[in-house]
Amino acid sequence: MNTSSARAEQFEELRPLLFSIAYRLLGSVAEAEDAVQDTWLRYAASPTIPRSPRAFLSAMVTRASIDVLRSARVRREAYVGPWFPEPLLEDPYDDPERAAELADSVSMAALLLLERLTPAERAVFVLREVFGFDFPAVAEAVGRSEVACRQLAVRARRHMDAGRPRFEADRAGRTELAARFCDALRDGDVDALRDLLAADVQMAGDGGGKAPALARTVFGVENVARLLASVFPSMADIDGKVEPREVNGQPGVILRDREGAVAGVLTLEVLDGRIQAIRSVLNPDKLAHLGPLADPWAVARDLQQARQRRG
């Protein structure tokens, strides 16, 4: 096998890992895929023959992601409304020895916590705490000394531990709760929704100015239950679908129009058998990787008309 073919094979074997690193750093499927592609182009053109392709390529994708992250922060400051990560249905990287770290680190709540870190802190935390790289490899990736990386790791871990969300450990229980939640949404059953929501539940939406979204975060079981019950039963009236699906390693919902096109995604944080937070992602720019997209304004208009017919 020639060098070019060997490199291509090595890269494809490591692609799931590289994407998973980039996604956690960027919170964007599209930007992560671009960082991985940039890494391949640089690797294919590099004269270096690394002793560890895994460490070498992980360092390359980390540096590419940090460059994107620095410019992305400027864009996000001008973002309309709350910014949430792009929904991820399946993490391509699997490591049974680090299953818990991988699952927790890809949740919406964890990704939003990572947003509070500096790019260097974020990179050190992801490489060290999530993927288990040793400090020499981390230092090579972020271009800092091992001593500096250890200090960054301590700061990052302190920030993450202070706000780290807790999740329902019972996977089967979470799945069952999500199914009950979808049933209650379809039926507009306020009582059933109350039973599923935590007393201090909150709901927020990301439309990015490109889709109808909540003007502000809604707090409290009564307010959230009534909001959900007022909107989602009309999905059936317009032949839309409320589809339970795991999103970012947690229970979620995909909303589809009558043609099956994606209209939005809901993610649920579950603890102690109750939904603690609901985040809706409606910005079509963040949903394109999920398949054909619905027109969010048309769906909102149809829902409004359906609610008016219901009286």
Side-chain angles (χ1 to χ4, degrees), residues 211-212 238 257-258 263 294-305:
I238 64 171
D257 70 3
R258 59 171 54 90
D295 179 340
W297 302 102
V299 171
R301 183 179 62 249
D302 291 346
L303 286 172
Q304 177 64 26
Q305 292 172 351

Side-chain angles (χ1 to χ4, degrees), residues 7 10-11 39-46 48 50 53 56-57 60:
R7 288 199 169 206
Q10 289 170 346
F11 186 85
T39 298
W40 162 244
L41 294 175
R42 292 174 183 270
Y43 186 48
S46 172
T48 302
F56 186 78
L57 288 168
M60 291 182 75

Side-chain angles (χ1 to χ4, degrees), residues 174-226:
R174 292 187 331 216
T175 301
E176 189 267 341
L177 183 143
R180 290 166 55 203
F181 177 75
C182 285
D183 288 341
L185 281 186
R186 297 186 192 102
D187 297 339
D189 189 334
V190 175
D191 289 336
L193 288 167
R194 287 194 194 102
D195 288 341
L196 297 171
L197 301 175
D200 57 351
V201 64
Q202 54 185 280
M203 181 172 179
D206 175 349
K210 298 184 178 183
L214 295 172
R216 59 184 64 84
T217 301
V218 179
F219 296 93
V221 60
E222 192 65 30
N223 293 330
V224 173
R226 292 194 175 279

Side-chain angles (χ1 to χ4, degrees), residues 102-164:
L102 290 169
D104 286 351
S105 67
V106 82
S107 72
M108 284 277 184
L111 292 173
L112 287 171
L113 276 177
L114 283 170
E115 283 288 310
R116 302 178 187 178
L117 305 181
T118 67
E121 289 172 342
R122 188 167 183 164
V124 169
F125 183 87
V126 167
L127 292 175
R128 177 64 182 168
E129 301 295 327
V130 178
F131 293 96
F133 283 86
D134 60 26
F135 276 109
V138 173
E140 173 65 22
V142 299
R144 305 284 184 93
S145 68
E146 289 185 41
V147 171
C149 285
R150 290 179 186 276
Q151 294 171 341
L152 288 169
V154 170
R155 289 205 300 268
R157 195 181 304 117
R158 185 184 303 125
H159 285 302
M160 294 297 290
D161 287 346
R164 188 188 299 274

Side-chain angles (χ1 to χ4, degrees), residues 235-294:
M235 286 292 290
D237 297 339
I238 64 171
D239 297 322
K241 297 177 180 64
V242 177
E243 174 187 315
R245 182 72 185 267
E246 185 171 274
V247 181
N248 286 79
Q250 301 296 321
V253 178
I254 296 181
L255 309 173
R256 299 185 185 274
D257 70 3
R258 59 171 54 90
E259 306 298 331
V262 177
V265 171
L266 305 181
T267 65
L268 313 176
E269 284 180 30
V270 178
L271 181 65
D272 297 330
R274 293 288 187 273
I275 297 169
Q276 309 289 321
I278 303 171
R279 296 184 178 90
S280 65
V281 180
L282 303 174
N283 183 345
D285 291 349
K286 296 187 174 185
L287 304 173
H289 61 286
L290 301 181
L293 296 179

